[in-house]
Every structure is written in C-alpha cells, then in structure tokens.
Amino acid sequence: MRLTIRIIFLLLAAVFALQVIPRVVERKLESESLRNGGTGIISSDTVTGRSLALLLPALSPFSGIASAAARQSLGWVFLLGLPVFIMAILKGRWFCFHLCPTGFIAELAGKLRPEVKSRFVSMPRFNELLLFLALGSALFGYPLFIWLDPLCIFNGFFSVWHTPVTMVSLLPAIGLILIVALSIYRPNAWCYRICPLGISQELLGKAWRHIHSRKELASTQVEEGHKPELGLGRRLFISLIAGGVTGLAARNIVGKQYSIRPPGAIAEDKFTAVCIRCGNCVRACPKKIIFPDTGQSGIAGILTPVLRFDPEYCAEWCNECTKVCPTGAISRISLQAKNNIAMGTAVVAKQHCLAWENGQSCMVCDEYCPYHAIKVIKNDEVLCPEVDPEICRGCGFCQAGCPAETKAIVVQGKPQRTLPHVNLQGT
Amino acid sequence: MKSIDRRQFLKATAVISTVATVLPDVSNAADSSKAVIYVVHGRDITKMVAAGMEKLGGWAKFVKKGQKVTLKPNVAWISKPEQGADTDPVLVSECVKACKTAGASEVVVPEKSVNDWKQSFGSSGVLEAVNRAGGRMYALTEDKYFRKTDFPDAKILKQADVAIDVLDTGCLVNMPIAKSHSGTTLTLGMKNWMGSVKDRQFWHRNKLHQCIADCCTVIKPVLTIMDATRIMLTKGPRGPGEMERPDLLIFGTDPVAVDAYSATLFKKEPFSIEYIKIAHDMGLGCGDLSHVDVVKIEA
C-alpha cells in the first residue's frame, strides 16, 4: 500500500514538474478551436493551469518558511506548505515515508546494495546544521541552502529536457544524481543526515511531543546517541547566529553583481538565495530564453534563472514565468505590470553597429522594439540608433534581431525597476 | 490631287478629337510600354476589390484554372487591423474567395512574421479570414519551406532561400500594406518580399535597398494590390503610430509603379525612397510617375 502511494506520488510529481497538464489543456483547446472553424491559436491569457507547476516545490514548509522570512512577506503559495507542516507536528516524518519522491528514489538506490546496513549513523548530523543555518540566514534576507530542499531538487531535475542535451544542460540534474550516488554509497544518509526538509519534520514532531512530555524527548535523544551536554537549544542558538552572520555577509557579496533575471525577480541580493532552482520558470518560458545559469553570475548564482536573448526575446504577450515560482523569487504579476518592468537596459556598441560604423540603413532595433525605446540619431545622413534607458525594458528583441556580425545592441543587467506604461496596441 | 472638302475635314476632326478625349485609356493601354495603375477609393473593401479587378480584366486573366495561387500579405506584426501594421483581413479574404471562384486549385498564404507568428496571425485576424475564405495560411518557420535560389541579375543578393510557394505557383499576388518604416523610410510592395525569404539579416548587412531591388529580379508578382485603406505615418513598421485614412487600394501589374504612387500618399518623392530608384534604374518597373497612367476609380 505504502509502495503504491509512493509510486503514484512520484509519477504525479513528475507530471507536475514537466508541466504536462497545461500542455495537454492547451493542445485540447487548440484542436477544439480548429474543429469549430477557429484559428487553433489560443490567447496567452487563457487559463490553462500553468501555475500548477509550483504545487510540488511549494509543498515543502522548509523552503516556504525560509523564503517567506527572507522576503518578509506571505502569499497564498506559502499556505501550500501547511499540510506537510501539520502532518510533521502530528506524525514526524510522515511525508518522508509516504510521499517524498526524492526520498523514494534515494531509498530505491540504497537497496541496490542490501549488504550495507545504515552506515549513515557514523556521519555527523549535517541536516540540523543546514536547517538552522538556513533559518538564521533567512532572518537576514539571505536563506542559505534552501535549494537543498528535496522537492526542488526533484523538480529541477526535469529542466534537463528543456534544451538540447549538452554537458552544461545536464547541470540541473546533478542534485538528484548526487543523491542517488550518495545513497548507493551510504543508504539513508541523504534522508537522515543531510535533507533539511526531513530534519525539520523530525524536529517539529519532537517539539510537539516535547510540549506534552519532556521525558519522551530525553529518551529519544539518548536512543539516537546524542551527547546530552550540547542540547538542541544551544545547537540551535549557535547555528542561528552563524547562519545570520554568513547570510548577511553573502548577501553583501553577491548583491553587487547584476544578471538579467526573469521579470518580477526580487532584488539581486536576495534572489540567489530565495530562488530554489526548481527550474519551473526555465520550463514555463515559451520563448525558451530562460536558462539555468552555469556560473556566469558567480558561484552563488549557479542554476538560478538567467535570460539569454539570442535568438529569442522576452515577449510582450507573455508572463508565464511569473506564474510558476514557488518561493516568490519571481513575483506573481499581471502582464501589464510585467511589461512595465525593466529587466535590464540595451546598450548600443557603436563599433559593431551597421549604421554607426558602416553607414548602412538598418535600424532593425528600432523596427523591432515593442516599446519604441530607440531614439533615431542622424549621423552623416545615416539614421543611427540610441537607446532611451527611461523606456527600454531590456526585453532583448533588439539584440535578438540585430543583423550585425557581432551583436551591436546588447542588454545589460541592472537592478529591476518599473517604468512608465507604454501603450502597445494603440487606441 | 484631290483635296478634302470642308465637310470631310470637320468629320475627320470630330472623329479624331472624340477618340483623343473620350478614350484616353484605350490609346494608353495600347501603348504596352507604359505602366497603368488603378487607384480605387472607397470604404467597402469588397466593392473596391471588385472595381479594381474589373478594370484589370478580371481575376480570370491572372488566375489559371486548376493552378495554385500564392498571396503574400504583410502579417509580420502583433497588431490589430486598426493599427495598420498588417494587411487588412477583409482584403485578404476577398482575394482568397475571388481566386477560388476564378478556379484556383488552392490558395496559399505563406508568411514569415517578425513577431511570434501565432500571435501575429491571430491578432491581425488574417489567419481567421484566410481559413474562412477557404485558403491555407502558414508560417515559414521551417527550412523545408525554402529553396536556395540564384538571382543572376542581382547586384548584391546573388543567392537566397526563397519560399517554395512563392517560386512555384501559377499566380503570385503581392498584398502589402503601406506604412512608415524606421529603416527604409517607407515599407511598400517590394520590401514585402522580405517576409518570403529565410535570411533577412543578410539584407541589412549588405545595402538593404539594393537587396530589396535585387529580390524583385526573381520574385515577380503578376499583380500587386497595395492596402492603403489606413496608413501608418509614424513609428512604423510596427506602431502604434499616427494614422491616416486615405481609403485607397492600389492595383497594378508593375510593382515599382505601385510603390512609387504609394510613396506620394506619405508626401514623399518616389525616388527619395532608395529602393524605388534602384528598381527603376535596374529596369524592374517604372518608378517615374510622369510615365505611369494613374487611373482613379470611385467604388
């Protein structure tokens, strides 16, 4: 029975992670429209259940609480973690045993070597440290290690199929691969010694029982072989402080650099922490311009979403990526609000520009720009482009369309900000 | 020698002057070297198309029974018909219907949109119009739709991948929309063929105006129907920009003459648009309006 539930949940999780449901719904709507003599084109604001993708990673109260604390705001997505939270209080690791897809995979991997019996016990309890560091740093806006949440590791795995398979595109799968490798080497080590979601459930359960009976807690601690002189409270206190200090330091270091993030991304000094690398936005983008970063934005930014504008751009009719973020690293915003956000600013490199450098009549950037952010400058009777940074959204259409050998107009990352509205459809 | 008497002289004068004044069209049409364009003014596109085509001798003159017809409207942008960035859907559906009636085996509408094709085909209303009229519109998104083609008479664009349906068809009709353009001042009929080739970027890198003219050495529509019902005066080719309503459709078999006349709607000297001048000089048509018969029709 337990096995059946686990298999069903694993498959369900994969279906959600791969965003199968919205795809099926869209295909159905398309064929329905064609059958009724329509065009088979469904408008982007049709409800197709794109947001369902955030369901699986949002189930984790660990990443939910840590990210909410870091953002200092609560949304309804946060509430999705409540069932697991309540079950943890009542039944400890209930989610681990019955549903967790990563745990299931780790368990199966562990069974590959039945002769090895629970060698994890010799490992230190990294999970407690990781959990407390995460909570401590979350209070300072930079939650460390929440990307170790097993649900986002599972979810992120499916970004592998998004792009043509290369060594770099395999990177999102590395989390799950490492867990499998570790579990073969040391069965159960992931679940009982590293996984921060596992330990948070365990501690919640223990805390509940502790309230009822102090004695029970003491006995379990002795059972699991803890040193009684360094109690949970002190460990908690020390690692919370350590987490806070590390988080604050990390925030100041990584916040200095600007990558081009999906529209609605929170401030860069929190983004690399609040983003759990679940890969939802990467897979939701119909233009396929969101990529898991492979290190260009520093070590802290590995696997966070970055935008690349060749050959596509951030379409003015789309806000799909803002609908699927489970931790609010990308805010849920309307299409209009999204179109008013500047993700960066395009900059003309005159030395590569066909108009500025070669005197050609080009102006493709101006032609393509949905927001009319290109100012036309006359240079020796040739029309040349210049960017108005007060209008440019950094959508990258100019960069995608630039016909020069070396792109002469390139979007550069900047802190995101909201610009005055531009009417795209006329009156 | 017998001299003509007064009565005969008067008769002859009357006949000649009648012919000269009443039938100028006939005398000009007989002069095959001179281009004729028909400028139809009106509000009802259905009537306007009918009036223009009647003057041109009817669709049957262009559409061969049992053969394929290719129409090339401009549906490059995500834009509503009022915005004037894409060819009017009613105009396209009228032409599809007429071609079917004239006996075309099928009417295809291939287009390589600049914006996302689904959004462009949808918002412009052209896809729906073509579907309803019984044509087949599709996006030139895959390599299989193109064929490498040599342009022997071209100056720069010596070779390009051109849409196969544009090359192999019984009847090719260009259906551009006249509007301002940030790169070439105006985009008219000849420039519309950029939506039928695979690599547009080459044109921009290598003297755009020359490439536009070069393209017309191979892609030769039997007919151009210019949509000038609404024209976008500024912020083209996409807009939204300042609009004007000349309420005109311009019909012609000479692509350069149609473009030249359309330029005047924007108060531009035709030869100030470089590609019109180049095409004229290359002998691809007549861009000099003093040598073009402009026949105005009210519909």
Side-chain angles (χ1 to χ4, degrees):
Chain A
M1 180 62 189
R2 194 172 72 93
L3 189 70
T4 325
I5 293 174
R6 298 207 84 165
I7 292 171
I8 290 171
F9 193 80
L10 178 84
L11 294 175
L12 213 61
V15 164
F16 278 83
L18 281 168
Q19 305 178 359
V20 174
I21 295 166
R23 278 171 229 271
V24 169
V25 170
E26 273 160 34
R27 197 151 309 160
K28 233 187 119 184
L29 286 173
E30 274 175 17
S31 56
E32 208 166 89
S33 149
L34 281 173
R35 254 204 320 279
N36 300 333
T39 56
I41 295 170
I42 40 171
S43 85
S44 55
D45 50 9
T46 311
V47 180
T48 55
R50 284 271 186 193
S51 302
L52 288 175
L54 60 75
L55 217 55
L56 179 72
L59 284 181
S60 161
F62 165 65
S63 63
I65 290 170
S67 60
R71 287 187 297 115
Q72 292 171 351
S73 71
L74 294 177
W76 63 264
V77 176
F78 171 78
L79 296 177
L80 293 171
L82 212 57
V84 178
F85 189 85
I86 292 168
M87 282 314 280
I89 290 174
L90 300 176
K91 302 221 161 181
R93 283 178 176 262
W94 181 87
F95 180 80
C96 299
F97 294 137
H98 291 91
L99 297 178
C100 181
T102 310
F104 186 36
I105 290 169
E107 198 182 302
L108 292 178
K111 283 186 178 149
L112 289 175
R113 295 201 308 159
E115 71 278 9
V116 187
K117 282 269 179 279
S118 298
R119 275 170 58 190
F120 74 92
V121 178
S122 60
M123 264 176 99
R125 289 177 74 90
F126 291 118
N127 48 9
E128 260 177 26
L129 182 71
L130 290 171
L131 172 64
F132 299 148
L133 282 176
L135 294 177
S137 49
L139 298 173
F140 291 89
Y142 197 87
L144 297 159
F145 307 118
I146 57 171
W147 41 267
L148 277 173
D149 188 291
L151 296 180
C152 24
I153 288 177
F154 179 81
N155 208 64
F157 174 77
F158 293 94
S159 294
V160 173
W161 283 283
H162 179 67
T163 45
V165 175
T166 61
M167 283 310 280
V168 172
S169 74
L170 287 175
L171 202 58
I174 204 162
L176 204 57
I177 292 170
L178 284 178
I179 289 175
V180 168
L182 175 70
S183 302
I184 294 171
Y185 174 59
R186 287 190 167 188
N188 297 328
W190 163 259
C191 293
Y192 290 94
R193 285 294 179 262
I194 299 173
C195 176
L197 177 59
I199 189 68
S200 40
Q201 293 174 75
E202 192 181 315
L203 291 180
L204 278 170
K206 273 185 188 170
W208 184 252
R209 271 175 288 158
H210 176 75
I211 292 167
H212 286 285
S213 136
R214 277 181 152 270
K215 213 174 163 190
E216 207 179 328
L217 178 71
S219 66
T220 41
Q221 273 194 344
V222 171
E223 248 171 47
E224 292 191 10
H226 278 264
K227 290 171 192 157
E229 61 265 27
L230 193 62
L232 186 65
R234 205 180 299 176
R235 291 205 303 279
L236 175 67
F237 182 73
I238 293 171
S239 32
L240 275 180
I241 298 286
V245 173
T246 332
L248 206 58
R251 201 176 152 183
N252 279 310
I253 295 165
V254 299
K256 298 276 186 290
Q257 183 174 15
Y258 290 102
S259 308
I260 309 162
R261 299 294 184 192
I266 55 168
E268 184 70 16
D269 66 346
K270 288 183 180 178
F271 187 85
T272 47
V274 176
C275 168
I276 53 171
R277 283 86 166 151
C278 69
N280 271 351
C281 53
V282 173
R283 274 168 275 135
C285 179
K287 289 283 190 181
K288 302 196 173 190
I289 59 165
I290 308 180
F291 289 86
D293 187 29
T294 47
Q296 285 90 327
S297 57
I299 292 172
I302 285 180
L303 290 182
T304 54
V306 287
L307 270 51
R308 288 184 210 148
F309 295 124
D310 202 9
E312 282 292 356
Y313 71 105
C314 180
E316 64 281 20
W317 44 266
C318 172
N319 62 338
E320 295 299 334
C321 58
T322 73
K323 297 176 184 169
V324 294
C325 184
T327 58
I330 304 170
S331 327
R332 291 179 75 84
I333 45 176
S334 70
L335 182 60
Q336 199 188 66
K338 175 247 146 184
N339 280 340
N340 291 341
I341 286 176
M343 294 163 278
T345 300
V347 176
V348 178
K350 289 186 181 175
Q351 71 275 20
H352 300 309
C353 178
L354 294 170
W356 282 107
E357 188 63 22
N358 307 346
Q360 301 260 13
S361 52
C362 178
M363 298 302 286
V364 174
C365 45
D366 183 27
E367 199 181 317
Y368 285 14
C369 180
Y371 308 95
H372 296 292
I374 305 287
K375 287 188 286 190
V376 182
I377 310 284
K378 235 183 191 165
N379 176 41
D380 286 344
E381 290 305 300
V382 179
L383 303 181
C384 298
E386 206 165 76
V387 179
D388 185 342
E390 291 309 307
I391 302 175
C392 177
R393 266 68 172 158
C395 75
F397 203 4
C398 53
Q399 182 177 339
C402 179
E405 298 283 0
T406 309
K407 293 286 178 190
I409 187 160
V410 175
V411 179
Q412 289 179 357
K414 250 171 70 166
Q416 290 197 355
R417 63 196 177 119
T418 297
L419 298 176
H421 180 62
V422 170
N423 186 0
L424 296 174
Q425 284 295 333
T427 45
Chain B
M1 245 182 113
K2 195 187 162 209
S3 62
I4 49 168
D5 62 23
R6 216 179 82 188
R7 186 168 293 177
Q8 278 175 317
F9 173 78
L10 282 174
K11 260 187 189 167
T13 315
V15 168
I16 290 166
S17 58
T18 312
V19 168
T21 53
V22 176
L23 298 168
D25 286 5
V26 175
S27 61
N28 286 327
D31 180 7
S32 61
S33 66
K34 201 165 184 184
V36 190
I37 59 169
Y38 299 93
V39 181
V40 185
H41 180 268
R43 275 281 172 135
D44 184 343
I45 290 178
T46 312
K47 278 188 197 158
M48 290 160 79
V49 173
M53 289 313 294
E54 194 195 320
K55 284 282 172 187
L56 278 159
W59 283 99
K61 206 174 135 192
F62 301 96
V63 178
K64 294 174 196 78
K65 269 203 167 45
Q67 283 199 16
K68 178 164 68 184
V69 173
T70 304
L71 305 180
K72 173 62 181 78
N74 184 342
V75 194
W77 307 97
I78 302 171
S79 145
K80 298 261 180 289
E82 319 75 88
Q83 202 174 315
D86 297 325
T87 305
D88 195 288
V90 181
L91 174 60
V92 183
S93 77
E94 280 305 315
C95 293
V96 174
K97 268 187 240 162
C99 291
K100 294 284 268 188
T101 313
S105 62
E106 67 167 329
V107 182
V108 290
V109 186
E111 169 68 322
K112 190 172 192 293
S113 301
V114 172
N115 282 154
D116 182 85
W117 72 265
K118 279 190 177 179
Q119 302 287 326
S120 306
F121 284 19
S123 69
S124 65
V126 177
L127 177 62
E128 204 184 339
V130 172
N131 283 353
R132 261 205 212 134
R136 180 169 63 87
M137 185 174 188
Y138 66 98
L140 295 165
T141 47
E142 285 168 57
D143 286 355
K144 66 174 184 195
Y145 296 130
F146 296 95
R147 188 170 70 218
K148 205 169 265 307
T149 309
D150 287 318
F151 292 61
D153 300 327
K155 292 225 168 70
I156 290 176
L157 191 70
K158 290 282 185 194
Q159 201 180 53
D161 292 290
V162 182
I164 291 168
D165 271 336
V166 167
L167 296 167
D168 305 339
T169 182
C171 169
L172 179 63
V173 181
N174 193 10
M175 305 182 63
I177 180 163
K179 53 186 173 165
S180 75
H181 192 275
S182 46
T184 55
T185 319
L186 295 178
T187 170
L188 303 165
M190 287 186 272
K191 199 186 169 299
N192 196 27
W193 298 118
M194 285 186 94
S196 299
V197 296
K198 198 169 100 182
D199 183 11
R200 273 191 268 252
Q201 302 211 333
F202 176 88
W203 301 35
H204 289 285
R205 282 196 297 270
N206 300 281
K207 295 208 169 73
L208 179 57
H209 291 281
Q210 181 64 52
C211 289
I212 292 170
D214 281 350
C215 186
C216 297
T217 60
V218 168
I219 303 183
K220 289 181 182 291
V222 294
L223 176 64
T224 303
I225 305 174
M226 175 72 72
D227 178 4
T229 50
R230 319 172 174 87
I231 58 175
M232 192 194 292
L233 301 176
T234 56
K235 297 203 174 175
R238 181 182 181 164
E242 206 181 305
M243 300 299 292
E244 202 179 272
R245 285 206 64 152
D247 289 320
L248 296 177
L249 289 180
I250 302 150
F251 296 74
T253 51
D254 180 333
V256 187
V258 172
D259 277 12
Y261 184 82
S262 306
T264 62
L265 302 176
F266 296 83
K267 298 180 181 62
K268 296 268 191 249
E269 197 56 44
F271 284 160
S272 73
I273 311 300
E274 222 179 307
Y275 63 84
I276 298 181
K277 175 90 177 87
I278 296 171
H280 177 86
D281 291 346
M282 287 172 82
L284 298 169
C286 182
D288 181 357
L289 286 176
S290 61
H291 289 93
V292 175
D293 261 342
V294 179
V295 182
K296 295 193 175 171
I297 303 159
E298 200 61 42

